[in-house]
Amino acid sequence: MQSVFEYLHERFGLTFTQQQRQAIDTIEGPVLLLAVPGAGKTTVMVTRIANMIYHKGISPESILTITFSKAGARDMRRRYEGLFGELGGEIPLFCTIHSFCNQVVGSYCRATGGVAPRLIEPRERSAALRELYQRINQEFLSEDLEEELTSNLSFIKNMMLTREQIESNEHLPPEERVLETQIRNLWDLYQAYSSWKRENGLMDFDDMLSYTYTILKRYPDILSSYQDRYRYLCVDEAQDTSKLQHAVVRLLAKREQNLFLVGDEDQSIYRFRGACPENLLEFPKLYPQAKVLKMEQNFRSTQEIVQHANLFISQNKQRYPKKMYTSNPKGEEIAFQKLHDFSDQYRAAIEAYLNEPGTTAIIYRNNLSAVPMADILDRNDVDFYIKEHKARLKQNYVVSDVLAFFSLSFDPSDFSAFSRIFYKTASSLKRNMLNRMPQGRLLAGESYFDRMIALCDENQNTGKIRYIAMMIEKLREMDPVKAMDCILYQIGYLGYLEFTSGAGYSMQAQKLNILTSLASRVRSVEEFLDRIDELDEIVVQHAQRPQARLTL
């Protein structure tokens, strides 16, 4: 039979570079293929698999290809069938790591007569986390904190972190922290959530990974059966795999060492979700016989883009030396924009979208980051679709605090607002003082701060308390941006957040930036508060518009 290179050239007109050919022809042993963006890695991967089957005589049943997502697995199988389906024969397995792990857990339960844990439903998880958070932290778990807690719990498991690492985390310098979070008692919550799942016969997607790792380590017969079945492993998007995921893959590959890892540490963007590009950087140490190959030609981008991408990524020192190049035309010059704040950033992104035909997606890290973008789009009558948006702006606890300051400004008798924020100022008032303060109806001209002053001892700065009370009263008359600045600096809320948020401070600062950005687009505090009310509804409405050209 003709070679795969001859077949693909004759049948589809495809040709391959020397680097691509080398990757396709390297079959045995551990191989790390570093593929720059637009290098044709999917075509190379499926062609290599076809080369293994049709020319090396390797059974399709012994090849396991693991992808980062279901869409990636479907696309790779579709690509393989499109190029080689007419040659006949069995199709090798393309699946996600979670799909494979689910298979292992099921096999273990059948072999031992056990029952596999049921996959937890999102509503069950939410209810459990709220109950556990209330019990351990003695406070309500808001939607945005629940989103962060869920992410933190997943991160701990995927990075295989220990109790010591988590409990010492917030005391470390920012550059040494393993996790940025504002969640208190995180390890206790992690342990309580794990116990709750075990007691109720439940598991989440991360448990599939950890159960599989434990099964393969503790039961050599089960590990051996999978090593017998899958003698050749291929892993796509390896820069996005977690430490735990790679630990599972390493166990599978330990005996035969036929591991083909494809990725690019320069393209790793999911560190906050547990991605561990060190899996690539440490590959030669983990596999001393490893070959490290490169595909450095970009077939997708212009020379202008490739040149600046090289210049940009070279600033990263934790990387393999690579020199991306392209034979494409020079293309248009890249426009550099200096943006002063978040509002400028949002406007620049929208202008870029309006100047381009076709569909566009704007990517953001967390749900609340989409709100200021939604605000600008709505104000300019630009249709958009917002995907998988869960957390509401007003249910974020930082936003709720800021709204409480304004509520107290408009209504000094609002005891709920006062009790929420009085100790979150630069007044030195303590939360437990609320239990000693008379809570009856206020007298004419009296404020709750006056009652607090009556409880203070002679060493407390009552003048500072009066100043803060006066500034809160004036908030309703201020320009919205100045009012936000007043809350943060003169009243002292920013200092409180910095002190209490620990490693999660930058995340809180981001939410304050969102509010300041919204405040800059209105003329009065009343309009600002009305707009916050409207935005949650606007987001809900646009979550039902998948036909829009722009997706957030």
Side-chain angles (χ1 to χ4, degrees), residues 337-349 517 521:
Q337 287 183 276
K338 291 185 177 181
L339 305 174
H340 297 93
D341 54 31
F342 281 92
S343 293
D344 283 352
Q345 178 180 311
Y346 296 130
R347 290 191 184 94
S517 177
R521 302 170 196 167

Side-chain angles (χ1 to χ4, degrees), residues 433-451:
M433 293 176 68
L434 192 66
N435 298 327
R436 297 188 287 125
M437 188 191 79
Q439 296 180 17
R441 184 184 296 236
L442 292 173
L443 301 175
E446 185 187 23
S447 73
Y448 288 118
F449 281 106
D450 293 328
R451 293 186 178 181

Side-chain angles (χ1 to χ4, degrees), residues 3 13 26 45 89 125-126 190 204 227 246 257 285 313 414 463:
S3 72
T26 306
M45 288 187 73
R125 181 186 63 197
S126 179
Y190 175 77
D204 56 27
Q227 290 174 332
H246 189 75
Q257 295 282 296
K285 294 180 182 178
I313 202 61
D414 188 338

Side-chain angles (χ1 to χ4, degrees), residues 383-529:
D383 195 17
F384 65 95
Y385 169 51
I386 189 160
K387 190 176 182 181
E388 297 179 0
H389 197 281
K390 298 174 184 176
R392 289 176 174 263
L393 182 62
K394 288 182 69 175
Q395 291 180 341
N396 174 268
Y397 89 86
V398 170
V399 176
S400 295
D401 282 351
V402 170
L403 293 179
F405 281 109
F406 285 114
S407 294
L408 195 61
S409 180
F410 281 97
D411 180 9
S413 66
D414 188 338
F415 179 75
S416 175
F418 174 81
S419 60
R420 183 180 182 97
I421 55 88
F422 76 93
Y423 60 95
K424 300 176 182 179
T425 67
S427 64
S428 299
L429 294 173
K430 304 300 180 185
R431 188 175 186 177
N432 59 11
M433 293 176 68
L434 192 66
N435 298 327
R436 297 188 287 125
M437 188 191 79
Q439 296 180 17
R441 184 184 296 236
L442 292 173
L443 301 175
E446 185 187 23
S447 73
Y448 288 118
F449 281 106
D450 293 328
R451 293 186 178 181
M452 279 290 176
I453 290 172
L455 299 175
C456 292
D457 58 43
E458 59 184 17
N459 295 321
Q460 282 188 268
N461 187 348
T462 56
K464 183 71 172 177
I465 299 172
R466 288 190 174 91
Y467 171 77
I468 288 171
M470 178 184 69
M471 297 311 295
I472 290 175
E473 183 181 352
K474 290 183 176 181
L475 287 176
R476 64 182 184 269
E477 302 167 355
M478 293 182 183
D479 170 84
V481 173
K482 289 183 178 178
M484 281 297 303
D485 285 345
C486 180
I487 291 171
L488 299 182
Y489 300 105
Q490 283 120 303
I491 293 173
Y493 181 60
L494 189 64
Y496 164 81
L497 277 183
E498 192 169 5
F499 178 74
T500 58
S501 298
Y505 170 69
S506 64
M507 302 171 73
Q508 307 316 322
Q510 181 193 29
K511 291 158 190 171
L512 293 171
N513 284 330
I514 289 171
L515 288 176
T516 301
S517 177
L518 295 174
S520 69
R521 302 170 196 167
V522 294
R523 292 166 295 182
S524 68
V525 167
E526 290 94 334
E527 191 179 347
F528 175 51
L529 299 177

